[in-house]
Amino acid sequence: MAKREISNDLRRFRFNNNEMTQQQLADEVGVSRQTIVAIEKGNYSPTLELAFRISIVFNTSIESIFKYEPKKK
Amino acid sequence: MSYREKESLINIFSGIIITAIFSWVVYQRQLSGTIDLTEDYSVWGTIFLIFMGVSIVARIIIYIIFHILNAIATREEDIPKEDERDKIIKLKSTRNSHYAFSFGLMLSFLALAIGMPVYGIFIAFIGCGLISEIVENVSQLYFYRKGV
């Protein structure tokens, strides 16, 4: 699987938010823990809706959690 | 291993086992002369209908057993809710499954065109069905492991 152009800082945000567990975040945003694991590992890019829900949980903007890094041609 | 990955593995093995057992039973009947699959094509219709019924019932039983065993092993009674990632993986896997089925079907038509007996197309249907199911579940396992 090709390396993704979207990276994230989800783990750091969880840690800074009272060491929130993956399961707690998953319950808050309505997905499975495996999906949160996949996002953190960079194996899955969430939909815009899920990205918004995650940013609302951490009370921040999407851009501060998710970064878009275009591949160099 | 997540619940969905285990489910895919169960699907692969149950598909192979159910098809193998059913095919063996039908083949034994053909050998004993109870049915004639080479000349009487209406028998194939009956076989497909029975196969669908048997397959559905067998899978329900296998799922119940799997769920009970999984609940005992993991102490998680609830089936995980399907989220957006599960849906995308399912869609991509179904796409791969359809490609496999279409390819197999085209090959069987080709075989028919170069002289394969007509009943061979029915065998090809069953074979393509099994292979496409395996492709679907292997794809699911791949996407769950490697990402989507």
Side-chain angles (χ1 to χ4, degrees), chain A residues 24-64:
Chain A
Q24 284 170 333
L25 177 60
D27 292 340
E28 291 257 8
V29 296
V31 295
S32 65
R33 192 183 69 83
Q34 278 74 28
T35 299
I36 299 297
V37 173
I39 294 170
E40 286 190 0
K41 282 165 104 180
N43 284 340
Y44 175 64
S45 300
T47 59
L48 200 52
E49 190 186 338
L50 178 55
F52 268 116
R53 273 188 266 148
I54 291 170
S55 67
I56 288 166
V57 168
F58 295 119
N59 200 21
T60 184
S61 62
I62 287 182
E63 302 96 298
S64 56

Side-chain angles (χ1 to χ4, degrees), chain B residues 85-105:
Chain B
R85 179 167 157 265
D86 296 323
K87 284 175 187 162
I88 289 172
I89 288 174
K90 193 181 263 185
L91 275 174
K92 288 192 170 185
S93 307
T94 307
R95 178 202 60 190
N96 292 351
S97 158
H98 286 179
Y99 283 154
F101 190 81
S102 309
F103 183 69
L105 207 60

Side-chain angles (χ1 to χ4, degrees), chain B residues 125-140:
Chain B
F125 270 137
I126 294 174
C128 291
L130 178 63
I131 289 167
S132 65
E133 193 185 349
I134 292 170
V135 167
E136 181 171 358
N137 287 292
V138 168
S139 302
Q140 278 188 18

Side-chain angles (χ1 to χ4, degrees), chain A residues 23 34, chain B residues 3 67 70-80:
Chain A
Q23 187 62 59
Q34 278 74 28
Chain B
Y3 183 88
H67 188 68
N70 188 60
I72 294 167
T74 62
R75 291 176 187 172
E76 285 176 15
E77 285 185 17
D78 296 331
I79 297 172

Side-chain angles (χ1 to χ4, degrees), chain B:
Chain B
M1 188 179 271
S2 72
Y3 183 88
R4 302 278 174 221
E5 287 171 287
K6 286 180 211 162
E7 203 177 46
S8 298
L9 276 177
I10 292 290
N11 276 337
I12 293 169
F13 288 113
S14 62
I16 291 170
I17 290 166
I18 293 166
T19 311
I21 292 173
F22 192 81
S23 304
W24 185 78
V25 170
V26 171
Y27 183 61
Q28 291 305 312
R29 290 197 170 194
Q30 166 75 12
L31 286 181
S32 67
T34 319
I35 52 172
D36 182 15
L37 296 170
T38 56
E39 297 292 331
D40 187 4
Y41 299 129
S42 65
V43 176
W44 280 105
T46 316
I47 285 173
F48 273 102
L49 288 174
I50 293 170
F51 179 63
M52 279 193 279
V54 167
S55 188
I56 290 166
V57 172
R59 270 162 205 274
I60 290 170
I61 294 167
I62 289 168
Y63 269 110
I64 291 169
I65 295 168
F66 160 64
H67 188 68
I68 292 169
L69 292 178
N70 188 60
I72 294 167
T74 62
R75 291 176 187 172
E76 285 176 15
E77 285 185 17
D78 296 331
I79 297 172
K81 205 169 62 181
E82 196 177 63
D83 61 22
E84 57 172 50
R85 179 167 157 265
D86 296 323
K87 284 175 187 162
I88 289 172
I89 288 174
K90 193 181 263 185
L91 275 174
K92 288 192 170 185
S93 307
T94 307
R95 178 202 60 190
N96 292 351
S97 158
H98 286 179
Y99 283 154
F101 190 81
S102 309
F103 183 69
L105 207 60
M106 273 194 282
L107 276 185
S108 64
F109 285 139
L110 187 73
L112 200 63
I114 58 171
M116 184 180 75
V118 178
Y119 67 85
I121 200 94
F122 298 112
I123 296 170
F125 270 137
I126 294 174
C128 291
L130 178 63
I131 289 167
S132 65
E133 193 185 349
I134 292 170
V135 167
E136 181 171 358
N137 287 292
V138 168
S139 302
Q140 278 188 18
L141 277 174
Y142 177 81
F143 290 133
Y144 276 118
R145 287 281 157 127
K146 297 286 177 185
V148 60

